[in-house]
Amino acid sequence: MMNVKKIGLPFWIIVVLPVLLAIIYYGVIAANQYVSVSNFVVRSPQKSTSVSGLSAVLQSVGFASSQDDAQVVSQYIISRDAVRELEEELNIRDKFQKTNIDFIDKFDPLGINNSLENLYEYYKNKVTVDVDTKSSISTLTVKAYDPKDAYIINNRLLEMAERLVNKLNQRGRDDTVSYAEAEVKRAQDRLQDALTAMMRYRADNKVVDIEKEALIQLQMISKLQ
């Protein structure tokens, strides 16, 4: 049997005291937290197929891969812009300052730093996004002190993410169309330059039809031979 007298003060401070505090906090003080989890996949409008020619060129300047879009979406969800929009639409400050939340885990419990930056730092502890690089499945997790609040924030973040993806896709389509139009314009300019050079050649050499003139010369050479 362990002799209590042999247990030194460091053991009580490092091991026993933290365990007791954790038991008291999580067993008595800590407020219940509710978690809302969503899984989503960001799909690219283009499929990766083996193409060549103009199609390959258009794909090279078109949409980013779905993996890249998933990373963009995950970074946006945990960004200050997302926090700002959630605050404007849902007033998430109040959702994290309810009276049923314990003092330790409440947002700005002393009321001395109610800034957006402080809210953003608090928000990062409540909202996480994990992207599976193999399956491209993203998992959005939202913690709150009311099940309805967790669901509302999660659902709103999904709507914001979908809007961002649609915006990225539309920009990709616009870039693809702009690039194709520029290529057509360059081809038209080259064709016009070629026609102008041909007309100049005809005028300088007094040739009406280059094809017929070449055919006549070939026939004359054939007869001479």
Side-chain angles (χ1 to χ4, degrees):
M1 186 174 180
M2 183 182 295
N3 189 350
V4 179
K5 295 182 179 180
K6 293 182 179 180
I7 300 177
L9 182 62
F11 177 82
W12 287 95
I13 296 176
I14 298 174
V15 179
V16 178
L17 182 60
V19 171
L20 290 176
L21 292 176
I23 293 174
I24 294 173
Y25 175 72
Y26 290 107
V28 180
I29 301 175
N32 293 330
Q33 291 195 48
Y34 300 89
V35 181
S36 177
V37 180
S38 297
N39 295 321
F40 61 92
V41 178
V42 179
R43 293 294 187 188
S44 175
Q46 291 180 342
K47 296 180 180 179
S48 99
T49 56
S50 71
V51 293
S52 59
L54 182 59
S55 298
V57 174
L58 293 179
Q59 285 191 5
S60 66
V61 297
F63 303 112
S65 67
S66 58
Q67 184 66 38
D68 293 338
D69 287 346
Q71 294 295 337
V72 171
V73 170
S74 65
Q75 291 300 317
Y76 171 71
I77 289 176
I78 58 174
S79 68
R80 291 176 175 81
D81 292 334
V83 175
R84 186 180 296 108
E85 186 169 345
L86 287 174
E87 174 62 16
E88 292 174 356
E89 296 185 5
L90 303 179
N91 194 10
I92 59 174
R93 274 191 178 94
D94 289 347
K95 299 183 185 304
F96 294 128
Q97 288 181 324
K98 292 183 176 181
T99 55
N100 65 314
I101 305 175
D102 61 269
F103 180 83
I104 296 176
D105 209 23
K106 181 183 295 187
F107 168 66
D108 189 25
L110 299 177
I112 58 176
N113 189 357
N114 200 32
S115 65
L116 183 65
E117 184 65 24
N118 191 33
L119 178 61
Y120 169 67
E121 295 297 330
Y122 182 89
Y123 170 87
K124 289 191 296 183
N125 294 323
K126 301 301 179 184
V127 177
T128 58
V129 183
D130 295 321
V131 181
D132 189 336
T133 56
K134 293 182 179 180
S135 63
S136 296
I137 297 177
S138 301
T139 302
L140 170 62
T141 304
V142 178
K143 297 178 182 178
Y145 298 93
D146 184 279
K148 185 178 179 180
D149 291 342
Y151 170 78
I152 290 174
I153 295 173
N154 192 308
N155 189 60
R156 182 55 190 151
L157 285 172
L158 289 178
E159 293 175 354
M160 292 161 57
E162 182 179 5
R163 184 183 62 194
L164 175 63
V165 172
N166 292 337
K167 184 178 180 181
L168 292 174
N169 291 341
Q170 184 60 45
R171 182 177 298 176
R173 285 190 287 268
D174 293 342
D175 291 343
T176 301
V177 172
S178 298
Y179 182 84
E181 290 176 346
E183 284 296 305
V184 171
K185 181 64 169 58
R186 282 192 286 269
Q188 290 175 342
D189 292 341
R190 289 193 295 268
L191 176 60
Q192 186 61 42
D193 293 340
L195 292 175
T196 301
M198 185 180 295
M199 293 176 61
R200 187 180 298 112
Y201 176 83
R202 289 177 177 177
D204 294 342
N205 295 275
K206 297 181 175 57
V207 176
V208 178
D209 191 324
I210 297 177
E211 184 178 355
K212 291 183 178 180
E213 185 72 19
L215 180 60
I216 292 173
Q217 293 181 3
L218 290 174
Q219 290 175 350
M220 290 179 62
I221 294 172
S222 178
K223 289 180 181 179
L224 289 174
Q225 288 178 344

